[in-house]
């Protein structure tokens, strides 16, 4: 389904270059659960941004079902991202001062879902993640684990096929971490494709396929 073929990402910084990804090739099938482990600075976020259509390879190709995404205009890439990909981040990336239900409804507004359906779907999602009684709470009124569950609900808002997570438990305590791990398992059982980058062995252990990244080079390791 998703294919990276000899992908390089080189950042230009002043007169020098940072090679963040080197010759990365990767095939991800529908329904796969993939974890990428690597130390800080190894290229995890860069890889996820390329898979998530937030960035483009400097060299190489990214394709979905055989279609080369490098050919697509920015607007089309944005549309695809909105409709097919859900992102979860380490620091949640919620908007301060905005109620949980509004945060979850927002991507649906961008996707053109009518208001009534937006709020109904957002309420259902939050309820299914155990946040029914917290729908009107703002991020500052929620715990770390609750914030991350709002972020997961937001990622699921447009019913994406693919969930990408960048160190989703990095800011969480043990119990919250266990809850989020269980949520990823559930999303996988529901048929979603999941790619999580992490330096947490416990998080990586839930995946079916594990990769290691070092200095921008990716290799599969036995799960
Ligand atoms: P990780 O997520 O594994 O910590 P990153 O993908 O963020 O790693 O970074 C990989 C390498 O690329 C690092 O050396 C980092 O300093 C560099 N890098 C990341 N983003 C940029 C950028 N926007 N400009 C220049 N260098 C960058
Ligand atoms: Mg990172």
């Amino acid at each position: 389904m998703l294919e990276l073929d000899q992908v390089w990402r080189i950042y230009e910084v002043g007169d020098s270059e940072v090679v963040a990804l080197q010759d990365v090739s990767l095939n991800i099938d529908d329904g796969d659960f993939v974890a990428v482990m690597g130390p800080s600075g190894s290229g995890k976020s860069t890889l996820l941004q390329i898979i998530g259509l937030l960035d483009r390879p400097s060299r190489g190709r990214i394709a979905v079902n055989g279609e080369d995404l490098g050919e697509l205009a920015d607007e089309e890439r944005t549309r695809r991202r909105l409709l097919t990909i859900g992102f979860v981040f380490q620091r949640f990336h919620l908007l301060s001062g905005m109620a949980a239900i509004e945060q979850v409804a927002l991507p649906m507004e961008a996707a053109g879902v009518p208001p009534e359906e937006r709020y109904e779907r957002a309420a259902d999602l939050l309820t299914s993640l155990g946040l029914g009684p917290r729908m009107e709470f703002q991020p500052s009124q929620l715990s770390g684990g609750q914030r991350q569950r709002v972020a997961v609900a937001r990622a699921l808002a447009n019913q994406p096929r693919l969930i990408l997570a960048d160190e989703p438990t990095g800011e969480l305590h043990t119990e919250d971490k266990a809850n989020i791990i269980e949520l990823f398992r559930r999303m996988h059982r529901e048929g979603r494709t999941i790619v999580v980058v992490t330096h947490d062995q416990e998080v990586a252990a839930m995946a079916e396929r594990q990769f290691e990244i070092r200095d921008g080079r990716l290799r599969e390791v036995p799960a």
Side-chain angles (χ1 to χ4, degrees), residues 42-218:
S42 57
K44 300 185 298 299
S45 295
T46 301
L47 177 65
L48 217 57
Q49 281 160 18
I50 285 180
I51 294 175
L53 306 182
L54 290 166
D55 190 14
R56 291 174 187 267
S58 309
R59 265 196 266 158
R61 175 174 174 273
I62 172 168
V64 170
N65 299 327
E67 181 188 21
D68 188 344
L69 300 184
E71 310 281 305
L72 299 179
D74 285 344
E75 207 173 297
E76 177 60 14
R77 285 162 59 89
T78 302
R79 199 186 68 86
R80 300 259 182 123
R81 185 168 63 241
L82 186 68
L83 296 179
T84 64
I85 301 174
F87 266 101
V88 179
F89 300 95
Q90 177 174 0
R91 292 195 173 78
F92 323 129
H93 286 214
L94 296 173
L95 297 166
S96 59
M98 186 188 272
I101 190 157
E102 299 286 346
Q103 314 250 6
V104 180
L106 207 55
M108 293 188 252
E109 181 177 359
V113 177
E116 204 174 312
E117 189 183 334
R118 256 183 250 160
Y119 286 99
E120 200 176 309
R121 224 199 273 172
D124 285 349
L125 273 168
L126 288 166
T127 302
S128 77
L129 300 184
L131 290 167
R134 298 283 184 278
M135 283 195 266
E136 299 300 333
F137 284 45
Q138 300 174 7
S140 62
Q141 300 167 317
L142 296 168
S143 72
Q146 291 168 339
R147 286 180 207 183
Q148 194 59 305
R149 279 185 278 151
V150 174
V152 169
R154 179 186 56 186
L156 292 172
N158 288 322
Q159 298 159 325
R161 296 282 313 130
L162 177 62
I163 298 286
L164 303 179
D166 195 343
E167 309 204 20
T169 60
E171 304 272 305
L172 302 181
H173 302 298
T174 315
E175 191 182 328
D176 288 332
K177 198 166 99 174
N179 277 325
I180 292 298
I181 288 176
E182 185 46 43
L183 264 183
F184 277 92
R185 286 215 181 91
R186 186 166 124 196
M187 292 190 283
H188 177 233
R189 279 200 303 274
E190 288 167 355
R192 293 195 169 78
T193 309
I194 296 175
V195 181
V196 54
V197 307
T198 182
H199 48 233
D200 188 326
Q201 182 58 51
E202 221 179 312
V203 176
M206 68 180 167
E208 288 170 337
R209 296 175 67 200
Q210 293 186 23
F211 291 80
E212 225 175 56
I213 188 166
R214 293 266 187 270
D215 297 326
R217 287 192 180 275
L218 189 76

